[in-house]
Amino acid sequence: MRIVLVGPPGAGKGTQAAYLAENLSIPHISTGDLFRANISQGTQLGQKAQEYMRAGKLVPDEVTIGMARDRMEQPDAAGGFLLDGFPRNLVQAEALDGILREAGTRLDAVLDLEVPEDEVVKRIAGRRMCRNDSSHIFHVQYSPSKAEGVCDVCGGELYQREDDHEDTVRKRLEVYHTETEPIIDHYKAQGLVVTISALGKVAEVTRRSMEALGRGAEQSPA
């Protein structure tokens, strides 16, 4: 299957993408991984991306599209893939249409994870990270630490990242509504969009996603 995963910040796209890719036996292709791989390998596209990033500028669509094209052409993606974070806007969506046409294939579905805006703000603004290890993550409401402001794992200080502040989250949502949401209508016109609620436990959302894709969840998370 060839799937695009979309949804606002805080919808749990990364978590769901990992489980869905495993269940469907297809590679999970995320823009974050694409950038890291190209930059670490020193590819031409990676060098271009790094130049823009060092200058504090947005990486042009053509660079991101080039990275995505190269990744989708790799052997492990021949039987399908799950795109997470790409396409991010209409220009990229139209470019993806063209890439797939050239390859003589098409998308099977666009999975839209739906979360109310207030829930997005609550999820992100409530996160607390450990200064000693960023993999130690807590939430003031859903998974609080035993002692306020102290990591249960290593005793490090818990803090709120700058981009997790409520005003920043709402700005990120504005960008999502302006730039990314239009691709949903683009794909609705092609009859590809499947919308599911991303509320509830991870396993529940995965089950809904697999059922929406017409597949029974084979390895739902606990």
Side-chain angles (χ1 to χ4, degrees), residues 10 18 64 69 78 94 98 122 139 163 173 182 205 216 221:
T64 305
R69 179 193 292 271
E94 289 167 355
K122 188 188 299 182
H139 192 283
D163 58 353
L173 282 167
V205 180

Side-chain angles (χ1 to χ4, degrees), residues 46-57:
Q47 290 172 11
K48 284 184 180 179
Q50 200 162 35
E51 287 174 14
Y52 284 96
M53 293 163 72
R54 282 174 175 165
K57 299 178 180 178

Side-chain angles (χ1 to χ4, degrees), residues 42-88:
T43 67
Q44 187 174 1
L45 288 169
Q47 290 172 11
K48 284 184 180 179
Q50 200 162 35
E51 287 174 14
Y52 284 96
M53 293 163 72
R54 282 174 175 165
K57 299 178 180 178
L58 291 174
V59 177
D61 285 329
E62 59 264 26
V63 174
T64 305
I65 291 164
M67 290 182 183
R69 179 193 292 271
D70 289 349
R71 180 65 184 86
M72 287 184 285
E73 288 176 350
Q74 290 181 21
D76 68 331
F81 47 74
L82 188 149
L83 294 172
D84 167 20
F86 178 87
R88 192 175 295 275

